[in-house]
Every structure is written in structure tokens, then in C-alpha cells.
Amino acid sequence: MAKAEIPVISFEPFLKGDSEQRKAVADQIYRAFHDIGFLYLKDSGILQGRVDSIFTLARQFFDLPLDFKKRYTIRDPAENQGYSPKLAGDHRESYEHRRFTNELCPTSQELTDHNPEIANFQVIMDEFYKECFALSEQVLKCLALSLGLPGGEHYFDSMMERSDPQLRIMHYPPVPAASVTASRGADDAGEKRAKPHCDYGFCTLLFQDGVGGLEVDPFHTGNYIAAKPIPGTVLINIGDLLHRLLNGRVKSTLHRVVAPAVEVADESGMLPSRYSIPFFVHPDERANINPIVLSDQEEQLYKGVNAGIWRAWRTSRFYNVPEKEKYFLDQLGIAHELVRTAIIN
Ligand SMILES: O=C(O)CCC(=O)C(=O)O
Ligand SMILES: [Fe+2]
């Protein structure tokens, strides 16, 4: 069994090196995704200053009055754009930003009326989005290169050209330490901020603040390990759709977010808030995700699915809309299979 440790990989030789160096990085990346489904990428090309400014923007946005934020509430789970107040079971609020659809994005005028410091929300989100998008394309190239997929490193190009990933800014509000102690069960690491789940797209780039709490269950045995924030890195993990497309070669791994230890409570008994910024990479919604087999002996482990219906199914589930969830699941025709984990979001 592979070691339960999330590796730190430098991307620089891939970005600046010759073909041999690029292949060596691609192989390290594939190995990490194969073994554990998570890795930390350093020297990714995304500058820390850019990451810091998006965290500042997130804090400013979530500090706005709830009534104001609710004006931009997500209307349709399949569209998945806009603000989302705390959902049952989780302790977080979020805002989703897309590439092509941002009707629920507050304008600079609307924002500055409330806080003169938050101008250019959309511009800053769009710029960060572009950097995350470009990095995710490079990471997919690594997988294609390492596995020798048809078309070489361009294997994913057609699936990404019109793809519409989602950049989420997320705020976990402070938690009363007393509630964490009260809810702690024998095998419970404390009040959960995000329940255990696998991501459902191709892969996720995650930026987190210094508070910590993200945990990963590498072998789905219930033995969670901490995915601590490492400054200057991007944490990247595989989602269910890429696990399917690569016929199980890379792992979509369970993870959750727990509250900090009660010892770090402030004098009023509150545990600190937390901010995180995931970029969920989804392929073009028209793409058919047909598990790839690389030899005559290899069997397809999963049925092919349409990427758009898959995403609509999983977002309906995430936002608790059971009738839509059932509708899209029926269209996929995979009810009998219900992915590899019992717990999904
Ligand atoms: O907040 C985090 O660190 C992780 C959040 C997460 O896993 C998710 O939103 O899918
Ligand atoms: Fe996640």
C-alpha cells in the first residue's frame, strides 16, 4: 500500500524544462494522483500576491450584510452561480463564479455602495479564474503525457476548450468551542465544517488560509490525515469524473473539513473562522466521459456518461433538490452503480 502522505511537487521543471524534465514531473504527478488522489504543487506560476488578494476579496465579500449577499443567491443548482448561504449539515457560506455565466455577480457599483474598498470584484475574480484555468490545463497535460494518452498532451484539449469550471470563495464562520466539545463522538474529530465527500468534476485546485482543518481519507478506511496549509502551494485533488474517464487509474479521494481544536478558542469561547478557495475543474458539458482503456485486456469499469448531465445531477444533490437529482440520475442510467463511495456530496 502506498504511503499515506500527500507529496509536495515542484512544477517549475514542467513549466521551464526540456521534454525529459517535463515527463519526469508528469510522472510524479500521475503517481501522486494514482496513489493518494491529492498533491501539493509548488512553483505553480500562480503568485502568492494574487492568492492573497483573492483572500482579501473573499473576506470583504462575506463581511457584507446577509440581506445584501442573499440578493445574489443561486437560482438553479444546474447553473450553480451566485451566493449560497449556509446549507444543512455544513457550516459555510460560499459564492460561485463561472467562466461564461455570471448574471448573479454583484457589480462594482452595488458593492462599493456597501464597502468602498471592494471595487472590481468581477475583474479580480475573472483574473484569478484565468490563472487557475491555465494551471488546470497544464496539470491535465501532465496526466495525458504520463499515461501516453491518444493525442499526447493534447488529449484533454477538446474537453477543456469550452469548459466552464467554477471558482468558489468560501467562508466557514467562527464556531463556539462548546458546541464542538458537545458533538465530539468516539470517532469524531470534532464539529465538521464540511462533511466527508468526493469532488465530482475532473479535479480541484484548492487554496486555503492558515487555519487548517482539511482532512483526507486516502484509502477510504476512516483514517483521516491532515492536509495542512503549506504556504506557496496549491493543493490539487482528483474528482469522480476524471476517476471514471481514466478508468480508475487516478483516485477521487474522500475529504472533509473539521473545526480547529478547542484549545485555540479565543477568550469568548469561539474557534476561528476559515476561508478557502477551491477551483472546480469540469469538462465541457457536451463531452462524453467514456472510460479509456489502454489495452485489449483492460475492461471499462464504468458506463460512459455525459459531462453536463453528470454535473447537473451532482449539483442537484449538493443543493438538496431531490426531484432534480433523481431526474438527472435517471438520464445517466447509473443508479445501479452509484459511484464508488457511499458518501458523496
Ligand atoms: O474548504 C476546504 O478546504 C475544502 C472544501 C471542499 O472540499 C469542497 O468544497 O469541495
Ligand atoms: Fe471537496
Side-chain angles (χ1 to χ4, degrees):
M1 192 181 267
K3 237 177 29 183
E5 200 174 292
I6 303 173
V8 182
I9 297 173
S10 171
F11 208 40
E12 196 162 346
F14 185 81
L15 294 174
K16 298 192 182 151
D18 59 23
S19 57
E20 215 171 290
Q21 289 165 314
R22 284 165 65 81
K23 176 73 166 59
V25 174
D27 288 345
Q28 280 178 57
I29 287 181
Y30 170 67
R31 178 52 52 194
F33 286 150
H34 171 84
D35 288 347
I36 192 162
F38 272 80
L39 60 82
Y40 292 97
L41 201 63
K42 64 173 183 178
D43 314 315
S44 70
I46 299 186
L47 299 177
Q48 192 58 40
R50 175 78 87 192
V51 177
D52 294 343
S53 61
I54 199 89
F55 274 98
T56 302
L57 190 73
R59 282 190 199 96
Q60 291 169 329
F61 178 79
F62 291 117
D63 277 349
L64 292 164
L66 185 59
D67 280 354
F68 174 80
K69 289 180 285 189
K70 278 190 164 168
R71 280 191 224 160
Y72 306 95
T73 299
I74 286 175
R75 292 181 298 223
D76 176 358
E79 192 177 89
N80 200 11
Q81 196 275 305
Y83 175 70
S84 176
K86 183 178 145 3
L87 294 171
D90 281 338
H91 300 266
R92 55 181 173 176
E93 55 178 337
S94 50
Y95 170 83
E96 319 282 335
H97 198 75
R98 302 279 297 261
R99 184 174 175 197
F100 299 121
T101 314
N102 278 304
E103 280 167 39
L104 290 168
C105 183
T107 64
S108 284
Q109 184 62 55
E110 287 160 342
L111 288 162
T112 43
D113 283 350
H114 280 80
N115 176 355
E117 283 172 19
I118 331 183
N120 298 330
F121 182 82
Q122 176 140 19
V123 173
I124 298 172
M125 292 293 274
D126 282 342
E127 280 171 1
F128 191 64
Y129 189 108
K130 274 192 203 132
E131 292 200 26
C132 291
F133 192 93
L135 178 58
S136 50
E137 284 184 307
Q138 299 288 334
V139 169
L140 291 173
K141 276 190 200 310
C142 287
L143 288 178
L145 199 62
S146 179
L147 284 168
L149 297 182
E153 58 178 68
H154 297 291
Y155 174 77
F156 290 98
D157 288 3
S158 62
M159 290 180 241
M160 292 302 288
E161 199 189 341
R162 298 281 307 160
S163 75
D164 194 356
Q166 137 215 2
L167 173 63
R168 175 185 292 167
I169 53 176
M170 189 148 50
H171 170 221
Y172 299 87
V175 184
S179 76
V180 174
T181 321
S183 73
R184 197 186 290 264
D187 60 352
D188 190 331
E191 175 101 340
K192 288 169 189 59
R193 290 192 137 164
K195 55 188 183 241
H197 66 278
C198 293
D199 293 349
Y200 45 82
F202 263 4
C203 60
T204 306
L205 315 187
L206 181 78
F207 303 85
Q208 43 176 334
D209 68 11
V211 172
L214 178 65
E215 296 185 339
V216 175
D217 180 4
F219 309 113
H220 294 193
T221 52
N223 293 320
Y224 279 88
I225 56 167
K228 293 201 175 105
I230 303 184
T233 67
V234 189
L235 186 64
I236 309 183
N237 66 287
I238 296 296
D240 288 339
L241 209 51
L242 198 53
H243 169 93
R244 285 180 89 91
L245 177 64
L246 298 183
N247 211 27
R249 286 183 174 78
V250 291
K251 289 173 72 169
S252 175
T253 302
L254 272 173
H255 52 285
R256 66 182 182 186
V257 183
V258 299
V262 289
E263 290 72 30
V264 301
D266 63 17
E267 54 296 346
S268 63
M270 297 300 280
L271 298 169
S273 58
R274 176 173 185 269
Y275 294 83
S276 71
I277 302 178
F279 180 74
F280 296 102
V281 181
H282 295 277
D284 187 325
E285 61 180 29
R286 296 163 302 183
N288 282 322
I289 304 301
N290 223 351
I292 189 156
V293 290
L294 296 177
S295 75
D296 292 345
Q297 286 77 49
E298 188 179 351
E299 264 178 54
Q300 270 195 339
L301 297 178
Y302 307 100
K303 182 177 176 296
V305 291
N306 165 268
I309 300 175
W310 173 274
R311 186 176 187 178
W313 167 50
R314 296 295 290 269
T315 46
S316 307
R317 187 180 179 102
F318 181 72
Y319 290 109
N320 279 323
V321 190
E323 59 295 352
K324 287 205 175 174
E325 183 190 334
K326 181 173 179 329
Y327 170 79
F328 291 119
L329 181 60
D330 287 348
Q331 283 195 33
L332 291 170
I334 54 159
H336 57 288
E337 180 196 297
L338 267 189
V339 267
R340 13 189 305 282
T341 56
I343 315 159
I344 49 178
N345 69 1

